[in-house]
Amino acid sequence: EEEGGGGGLPLLQINDFNQGRFLTRSLLTNVTCPFRSCSKNHRGNRYHTPERFSPTCVDQDERIDTFALGGVFFFLLTDGLDPYVDKRNYADAIKRGEIPNVPRSLQDGDDNGKRHPAYAALEEVMERCMAFKLEDRPSSLEVVRMLEERLERVA
């Protein structure tokens, strides 16, 4: 609650979900400097980015974590299912850029056929987070802003 007892928007906190490392910012542009990842283990997991499965060294930045956060959103939207639960080989699905589908049975809503608008908003943010190309994914701050904007719409 805000000081004085008034209600406010919930505080959103986003933490590291993938590979913890210190990142640097450019002194000229204030943009996060990319780091190079040369993965020897191409198995990964259901929350890893397509870059993680690359057979070559690739530049990455903090948006590898927003991909993993998209997986966390999927988990929340589906009442505990892991992303790509319906795929026998999730690594291939990730490498192809497939975004996991929320099962239709969970999209139908309540007994009256109504789905709370927060679900659709969270699914939209999840899809943005799990974009195939690193440059198409939002930063952590952009995710927070998207969630806050959608929260204001459904509140």
Side-chain angles (χ1 to χ4, degrees), residues 91-126:
D92 286 343
I94 293 170
K95 288 188 273 188
R96 284 191 301 269
E98 292 180 27
I99 294 175
N101 294 315
V102 173
R104 175 63 55 205
S105 61
L106 297 173
Q107 293 179 3
D108 292 337
D110 62 17
D111 292 339
N112 298 318
K114 294 184 180 177
R115 185 176 184 218
H116 193 282
Y119 285 94
L122 192 56
E123 189 172 358
E124 180 186 341
V125 174
M126 175 204 77

Side-chain angles (χ1 to χ4, degrees), residues 129-144:
C129 288
M130 298 187 86
F132 179 70
K133 293 181 180 178
L134 181 73
E135 59 269 16
D136 294 338
R137 287 181 219 137
S139 68
S140 301
L141 183 56
E142 289 169 324
V143 170
V144 170

Side-chain angles (χ1 to χ4, degrees), residues 13-79:
Q13 292 182 313
I14 297 178
N15 295 313
D16 179 69
F17 295 104
N18 195 356
Q19 300 178 32
R21 66 178 66 230
F22 290 105
L23 301 178
T24 57
R25 292 194 173 272
S26 165
L27 295 175
L28 297 175
T29 64
N30 200 31
V31 172
T32 304
C33 297
F35 59 90
R36 198 150 263 260
S37 178
C38 304
S39 180
K40 300 279 187 255
N41 174 4
H42 298 295
R43 289 180 305 152
N45 69 40
R46 295 175 190 276
Y47 295 84
H48 279 166
T49 64
E51 298 85 25
R52 182 81 173 149
F53 295 99
S54 174
T56 61
C57 298
V58 293
D59 285 343
Q60 299 180 20
D61 62 24
E62 76 275 7
R63 291 172 292 181
I64 62 171
D65 287 329
T66 58
F67 186 92
L69 180 59
V72 172
F73 291 154
F74 180 88
F75 182 88
L76 294 172
L77 285 164
T78 61
D79 199 24

